[in-house]
Amino acid sequence: MTDQLTAVTRRLPALPDPVLSGLVVVLLLFNALLTLVVEVLFLPLYIGSVPMPISALLAAPINVALVYGMESVTGRLGFAFAPIVVWVFGFLVCASRGPGGDILLGSDGRTLLLLACGVIPPVAYLYYRSNANLFRTR
């Protein structure tokens, strides 16, 4: 039973230096914005005449990896959600009008797919991690 518990709660080794940990946190938050920019720019991708929102589908594993990385560095489950908060803030900025009236994200299904794929999988992962003891079979 204890081996199963340690297998579920085992993460990457903690960084010994708090300055290095803080730098990794800042890089993960910056990476959340950087990946959002790439996802938004490649969202209107077409192959022939067919829209292919591949970047929306890639948002799910990327954001889960960001949350996993943050959880490995901080050790606090609540703070592990910080990259997704930064990602959603950037999403809202991209969805609003710019100074010239330009909008990066249109009002269509691809934008909704990007939002759903960017938020739902990391939330589901954090929900699973916070309730890992409930999902374990005996």
Side-chain angles (χ1 to χ4, degrees):
M1 179 71 176
T2 343
D3 294 332
Q4 292 175 348
L5 181 62
T6 57
V8 170
T9 58
R10 186 179 309 146
R11 309 306 304 152
L12 295 176
L15 297 173
D17 189 14
V19 174
L20 186 59
S21 296
L23 180 65
V24 171
V25 166
V26 169
L27 288 175
L28 284 170
L29 295 177
F30 176 73
N31 194 15
L33 283 178
L34 186 65
T35 57
L36 173 70
V37 168
V38 172
E39 291 161 2
V40 167
L41 291 178
F42 281 100
L43 189 63
L45 181 69
Y46 277 84
I47 295 181
S49 62
V50 179
M52 298 298 266
I54 296 171
S55 65
L57 300 176
L58 289 176
I62 290 171
N63 286 351
V64 170
L66 287 171
V67 167
Y68 181 81
M70 185 68 81
E71 183 184 8
S72 302
V73 173
T74 62
R76 292 176 24 193
L77 199 59
F79 193 65
F81 199 65
I84 304 309
V85 171
V86 170
W87 190 91
V88 168
F89 176 74
F91 181 87
L92 293 175
V93 168
C94 290
S96 63
R97 290 187 183 271
D102 297 336
I103 300 175
L104 293 174
L105 292 171
S107 297
D108 59 356
R110 293 176 293 184
T111 302
L112 185 61
L113 181 67
L114 177 63
L115 181 63
C117 288
V119 174
I120 293 174
V123 168
Y125 171 74
L126 282 176
Y127 177 78
Y128 172 76
R129 287 290 298 152
S130 65
N131 296 313
N133 295 335
L134 297 177
F135 292 114
R136 199 172 310 122
T137 59
R138 295 190 184 250

